[in-house]
Amino acid sequence: MSNLEHADPEIASLIAREDHRQARQIRLIPSENYTSAAVMEATGSSLTNKYSEGYPNKRYYEGQEFIDQIELIAIGRAKSLFGAEHVNVQPYSGSPANLAAFVALCQPGDTIMGLSLPHGGHLTHGWSVSATGQFYKSERYEVHPETHRLDYDAIRAKALAVRPRVLIAGATAYSRQIDFAIFAEIAKECGAYLLCDIAHISGLVAGGAHPSPIPHADVVSTTTHKTLRGPRGGMLLCKELHAKAVDRAVFPGLQGGPHENVIAGLAVALKEAATPAFTAYAHAIVANAKALAERLLEHGFSLVTGGTDNHLILFDATSKGATGKEMARAMAIAGLEANANTIPFDPRKPFDPSGVRIGTPAVTSRGMGPAEMIQIADWIARVSEARQSPDSLARITTEIDTLCQQFPAPGIPV
Ligand code: DSN
């Protein structure tokens, strides 16, 4: 019996059931992944007991001789992997990282401009219900009304009109490459700082499967647990010019003690991300997404932008007679985990939008390839046809279970 089973059987049992769920369902949520057992070990270590306000060699508490080394290793690995001049590994996650970037680059009341949430942006890019939309004057750009791709001419025109202090490039539901070089030109033309939020694609950037924003951006923010496949956390990468402001914004500006257990897990993940195997994984994510998209198109699904060139696919469930939520629910019952999502110019409400967002990072981490993507697309098509038939969904569940056992989920105890 494990310590946890002995101390708290109720929580132990729920974790075991979640382990089983994660292992025996197909994870298609594009922001989720399976971090390695090594990363989980570091994250669940004694480092969770330690307070370390400050930065390496400049702490407020004693007992930092090993913590400092761990944080410096994480910083060094991130700098080398991404080619960044300065890195802060302390943000608790992506939202605090983005807020810290604004605190570093502008003042409350200044204008920030990012991709509108229903068009694929993030809450913390200035959406009205987020503190970022309340502390700053928020302007938004949208995707092109016909192609649903980023419309760089329109972004330029709007940026020149509203003159943001910070221009944000990045998305949580956009299936195409982002041209960070054009964003940098626009930022320069309108006198803005450029913040690139690569939370979704940082693993692709690290593995060379998406162009890097590092040469173009003032500050780059990312979570660490999506395609990058680390523990749940955040990171800021920036030019040396912004190093002090970024560090001050994170601590003491917004946070207290950093979670050094997570930083240790991140260090391990960054070491993994510097390997040829990770480069292959990053390219396989994109190849898998393309194979999945291709097959969904053959099944008559309407894909936003018509396809993908990253890890993510957004499809319009209403083209199959379902709402996004109905489709995502039916998929989940069958064993295909996705999320309902708005599509650009969505006539439906955000809580029950038209779209479903899927992605390939987690299935790629399990070692699945294009043949399995075709199988997954076929299951999605069968769910869309039989979503009200419990028997049909149960048959799909059995088939999914068989496939999942052939591709064990990394880091999950069997
Ligand atoms: N929750 C993340 C996602 O799923 O994209 C963004 O914060």
Side-chain angles (χ1 to χ4, degrees):
M1 190 182 259
S2 73
N3 291 320
L4 181 59
E5 282 168 328
H6 185 72
D8 193 336
E10 194 180 6
I11 290 296
S13 154
L14 288 169
I15 292 176
R17 287 170 69 191
E18 173 65 10
D19 282 345
H20 186 267
R21 192 192 69 76
Q22 290 196 19
R24 301 297 265 275
Q25 292 197 353
I26 291 185
R27 169 166 282 177
L28 294 172
I29 294 174
S31 49
E32 294 185 359
N33 211 329
Y34 299 100
T35 199
S36 70
V39 169
M40 295 225 278
E41 254 178 57
T43 308
S45 66
S46 65
L47 303 180
T48 196
N49 300 332
K50 188 69 194 128
Y51 256 125
S52 317
E53 276 100 334
Y55 289 102
N57 304 316
K58 268 180 82 177
R59 306 280 191 186
Y60 289 79
Y61 294 36
E62 293 307 314
Q64 310 292 346
E65 51 270 45
F66 307 114
I67 296 288
D68 276 359
Q69 291 182 54
I70 288 166
E71 190 166 334
L72 284 169
I73 289 171
I75 291 168
R77 287 179 182 168
K79 282 167 86 169
S80 137
L81 183 68
F82 289 97
E85 291 177 16
H86 180 78
V87 173
N88 186 308
V89 292
Q90 295 193 0
Y92 298 142
S93 201
S95 298
N98 280 342
L99 186 55
F102 297 133
V103 168
L105 296 174
C106 63
Q107 297 298 317
D110 281 351
T111 300
I112 61 173
M113 179 173 137
L115 178 60
S116 163
L117 180 69
H119 286 236
H122 191 252
L123 277 167
T124 58
H125 296 176
W127 195 242
S128 51
V129 293
S130 156
T132 58
Q134 292 163 9
F135 298 169
Y136 303 98
K137 183 173 181 320
S138 173
E139 296 283 349
R140 292 153 201 151
Y141 54 88
E142 298 187 338
V143 293
H144 188 280
E146 279 151 27
T147 64
H148 294 172
R149 292 183 184 231
L150 291 173
D151 180 347
Y152 295 99
D153 291 337
I155 296 168
R156 175 179 275 112
K158 177 138 194 179
L160 287 171
V162 305
R163 300 262 165 198
R165 186 76 178 143
V166 181
L167 176 63
I168 308 145
T172 63
Y174 186 66
S175 62
R176 297 294 176 177
Q177 281 194 358
I178 297 176
D179 192 330
F180 295 117
I182 293 185
F183 267 107
E185 279 172 21
I186 297 170
K188 197 169 171 198
E189 283 170 40
C190 68
Y193 289 124
L194 178 62
L195 167 63
C196 296
D197 178 347
I198 59 166
H200 265 255
I201 57 169
S202 54
L204 304 185
V205 171
H210 189 291
S212 172
I214 294 289
H216 310 292
D218 289 284
V219 177
V220 173
S221 66
T222 185
T223 48
T224 49
H225 47 271
K226 297 187 174 91
T227 48
L228 191 56
R229 219 162 51 179
R232 192 162 288 265
M235 188 159 61
L236 286 165
L237 308 95
C238 66
K239 302 256 186 284
E240 195 56 48
L241 171 72
H242 301 297
K244 274 201 181 120
V246 162
D247 284 353
R248 267 202 304 265
V250 174
F251 174 84
L254 290 167
Q255 297 187 178
H259 298 173
E260 295 290 346
N261 55 320
V262 175
I263 290 172
L266 173 60
V268 177
L270 291 166
K271 183 174 184 190
E272 293 171 356
T275 59
F278 191 92
T279 303
Y281 145 83
H283 286 89
I285 287 175
V286 177
N288 277 343
K290 284 182 187 290
L292 183 53
E294 200 61 40
R295 187 65 165 186
L296 287 172
L297 287 169
E298 284 169 22
H299 280 296
F301 281 83
S302 163
L303 309 188
V304 174
T305 78
T308 181
D309 42 39
N310 59 20
H311 64 302
L312 183 148
I313 297 160
L314 190 55
F315 69 78
D316 182 354
T318 65
S319 67
K320 290 287 184 183
T323 69
K325 198 141 184 144
E326 284 167 354
M327 185 65 195
R329 189 86 282 276
M331 284 172 66
I333 291 167
L336 300 157
E337 197 185 356
N339 68 277
N341 213 98
T342 51
I343 57 172
F345 308 100
D346 202 328
R348 301 186 57 82
K349 294 254 186 298
F351 196 67
D352 188 7
S354 300
V356 174
R357 189 182 70 149
I358 58 176
T360 53
V363 289
T364 306
S365 290
R366 294 179 87 137
M368 294 183 190
E372 288 73 39
M373 297 309 112
I374 288 169
Q375 176 63 80
I376 289 170
D378 292 352
W379 281 324
I380 294 173
R382 275 169 60 192
V383 169
S384 77
E385 282 152 21
R387 63 180 192 281
Q388 274 148 359
S389 159
D391 288 349
S392 304
L393 296 182
R395 272 194 293 279
I396 298 171
T397 307
T398 307
E399 292 168 27
I400 286 175
D401 195 56
T402 304
L403 184 76
C404 285
Q405 290 185 63
Q406 289 164 22
F407 293 91
I412 308 276
V414 179

